[in-house]
Amino acid sequence: ELKVEQNPLFLSMQEEKNYTIYCNYSTTSDRLYWYRQDPGKSLESLFVLLSNGAVKQEGRLMASLDTKARLSTLHITAAVHDLSATYFCAVKGAYGGATNKLIFGTGTLLAVQP
Amino acid sequence: GAGVSQSPSNKVTEKGKDVELRCDPISGHTALYWYRQSLGQGLEFLIYFQGNSAPDKSGLPSDRFSAERTGGSVSTLTIQRTQQEDSAVYLCASSSRRGGGLANPGGYNEQFFGPGTRLTVL
């Protein structure tokens, strides 16, 4: 059964400092997604990572994927207040019925303090 | 173009009543998903529709839950005899291509989420 672990659950960040969120998954996957959720809002797609070694960057966010370690990281560079939100990683299984759905991590609540 | 839409945005119901939640996917998207987001359980998969194939119902928590997708477009999630533990935000997503997986490489299918329906069962 595919399981996804995300940590930390909560991250209090200082502006202009760097931080990393980790996402581990338990079985083979062929893609990994990062989403952002603002309070009371739906999920906004940030990155789709399709292969080992994939790295994608958008603004102050950079996501990478190591399929051998079954690990993805979301790196935040020089945090700013508008990055405050909950971030989810989600993994899609590689075989059978697991390809039909996303398994989500627990989410990481980011709060950027001035 | 328009994104995924859901209605109602909020629904308050009494325990034991039936509710219907609606999802309108992005035009042309063949795959449609329902997820549930609750405080205790996080984000959980409920059901998946792909074209005319039989839906994957493996995530439905009980037989009180059912879903239909008419004409390959709009979907309705029905919860019968609602219980307080059904209170959650129900999210719908759609994507443009099927599955993927190592047996079907290139089946890239990013899921786009609707705004959700917040269900409160009193």
Side-chain angles (χ1 to χ4, degrees):
Chain A
E1 181 187 353
L2 178 56
K3 294 186 178 179
V4 181
E5 292 185 354
Q6 193 175 333
N7 67 83
L9 296 181
F10 176 71
L11 194 49
S12 178
M13 305 188 293
Q14 293 182 343
E15 285 184 330
E16 300 303 318
K17 295 211 171 169
N18 304 332
Y19 298 88
T20 302
I21 303 171
Y22 299 89
C23 177
N24 288 92
Y25 54 97
S26 60
T27 66
T28 303
S29 169
D30 68 340
R31 65 200 63 175
L32 187 140
Y33 303 79
W34 284 96
Y35 287 91
R36 169 181 172 146
Q37 187 176 38
D38 290 290
K41 304 291 185 182
S42 191
L43 297 167
E44 173 191 356
S45 178
L46 294 175
F47 301 109
V48 182
L49 301 170
L50 299 177
S51 60
N52 188 43
V55 177
K56 291 197 174 178
Q57 183 163 6
E58 181 72 34
R60 299 172 186 269
L61 300 178
M62 183 175 72
S64 64
L65 178 61
D66 180 344
T67 58
K68 293 180 181 178
R70 294 178 183 165
L71 170 69
S72 179
T73 59
L74 181 66
H75 189 71
I76 301 127
T77 302
V80 292
H81 182 71
D82 64 6
L83 291 180
S84 297
T86 300
Y87 293 80
F88 292 92
C89 66
V91 177
K92 198 163 175 298
Y95 300 103
T99 65
N100 293 340
K101 58 194 173 189
L102 295 179
I103 305 298
F104 283 85
T106 50
T108 297
L109 175 60
L110 263 58
V112 181
Q113 311 298 331
Chain B
V4 178
S5 61
Q6 292 185 246
S7 60
S9 55
N10 279 285
K11 177 73 177 178
V12 180
T13 190
E14 294 179 348
K15 178 182 172 181
K17 297 284 179 83
D18 298 351
V19 295
E20 285 189 353
L21 313 180
R22 176 188 166 105
C23 172
D24 216 326
I26 293 172
S27 177
H29 279 191
T30 57
L32 186 146
Y33 312 77
W34 283 97
Y35 294 86
R36 177 169 73 171
Q37 185 174 26
S38 58
L39 279 176
Q41 302 297 323
L43 270 154
E44 307 170 273
F45 165 80
L46 297 177
I47 189 169
Y48 159 74
F49 294 91
Q50 170 60 48
N52 294 322
S53 302
D56 176 352
K57 304 179 183 180
S58 61
L60 294 179
S62 78
D63 59 9
R64 295 187 294 104
F65 287 72
S66 63
E68 290 185 340
R69 189 177 184 195
T70 53
S73 181
V74 171
S75 177
T76 302
L77 177 69
T78 301
I79 309 173
Q80 296 178 311
R81 305 180 303 282
T82 51
Q83 303 294 312
Q84 288 181 333
E85 62 262 29
D86 299 335
S87 296
V89 176
Y90 289 82
L91 292 166
C92 175
S94 69
S95 66
S96 61
R97 288 188 62 182
R98 176 184 183 158
L102 296 180
N104 180 27
Y108 177 73
N109 65 342
E110 184 178 1
Q111 294 181 27
F112 295 89
F113 284 79
T117 294
R118 181 175 296 278
L119 175 66
T120 304
V121 182
L122 301 177

